[in-house]
Amino acid sequence: MTTFRLPSRRALAATGLAAALAVGAAQAAAPVVRDVAPALKALLDCRGIAESDKRLACYDAAVDSITTAEKKGDVIIVDRQQAQAARRQAFGLDLSALSVFDRGDKPEEVDRIAGEVTKAVRGADGRWILTLADGATWRQADDRDLSSPPKAGSKVEIRKAAAGSYLMNIDGQTAIRARRVVGP
């Protein structure tokens, strides 16, 4: 008569651990699949077609689809240089919700910009509101007086400061606190 012996708890734990490690290793080796636009997925799927003429027809149709989608604005294609320019233009605005577009890349950190004033007015509270050549509007956030008022043509440098604030130097004067505003 054959006797069947149940494995010990230690053996079961070791077997479970080995299985978990094997699954983890397999998942780590698997390529990361990211969501892509359907038009791009169609283009990528063409690579799997073995017959040359069918693969070429697939590529042609997929490129036509992407071109049409891009013209309609359904797909936007941006290169790294354009993305960096957009980050510079958006300096001072909270765009953290758009980090989904970074695709795992660490975006270039913009911590300061330089510009030129096109319009400088005082608000009802006596604080300066400056419009820069790039269209951005910045508002003074402190009550510091400037020795020389800003005017069209004044040079500004704006840099990140502590706790999400910004410091603005106008024509080399002592910095004032400022914040980016949308609209007038």
Side-chain angles (χ1 to χ4, degrees):
M1 178 171 167
T2 316
T3 320
F4 181 73
R5 223 169 80 171
L6 292 173
S8 70
R9 287 184 190 173
R10 188 175 288 165
L12 284 174
T15 303
L17 178 62
L21 289 173
V23 168
Q27 287 175 342
V32 176
V33 177
R34 64 177 193 199
D35 291 332
V36 295
L40 180 58
K41 183 173 180 347
L43 179 68
L44 297 174
D45 288 345
C46 293
R47 294 183 296 185
I49 299 174
E51 297 176 41
S52 298
D53 48 340
K54 287 184 179 180
R55 186 172 56 250
L56 179 58
C58 179
Y59 277 129
D60 287 344
V63 168
D64 287 344
S65 175
I66 287 175
T67 302
T68 301
E70 197 269 334
K71 284 181 182 175
K72 289 175 27 182
D74 294 338
V75 172
I76 299 171
I77 300 170
V78 180
D79 65 19
R80 187 176 309 274
Q81 186 177 6
Q82 291 169 313
Q84 289 170 344
R87 281 191 189 93
R88 287 188 183 284
Q89 187 175 7
F91 181 78
L93 298 174
D94 179 16
L95 300 178
S96 57
L98 298 181
S99 65
V100 67
F101 298 114
D102 292 336
R103 296 272 190 209
D105 291 343
K106 183 175 181 189
E108 173 196 9
E109 183 67 28
V110 178
D111 64 352
R112 66 182 56 233
I113 61 165
E116 185 174 313
V117 175
T118 57
K119 182 179 176 186
V121 296
R122 280 193 183 249
D125 59 2
R127 295 178 177 178
W128 288 102
I129 303 168
L130 305 177
T131 303
L132 305 184
D134 66 0
T137 303
W138 289 82
R139 183 169 185 48
Q140 183 178 1
D142 62 18
D143 293 321
R144 184 176 296 229
D145 288 326
L146 295 170
S147 58
S148 177
K151 58 189 175 304
S154 290
K155 303 294 184 204
V156 297
E157 181 180 85
I158 305 166
R159 64 187 182 282
K160 286 186 178 181
S165 64
Y166 296 87
L167 292 173
M168 177 189 298
N169 292 89
I170 304 167
D171 290 329
Q173 299 181 68
T174 302
I176 59 173
R177 292 216 176 267
R179 63 182 168 81
R180 176 93 183 258
V181 294
V182 179

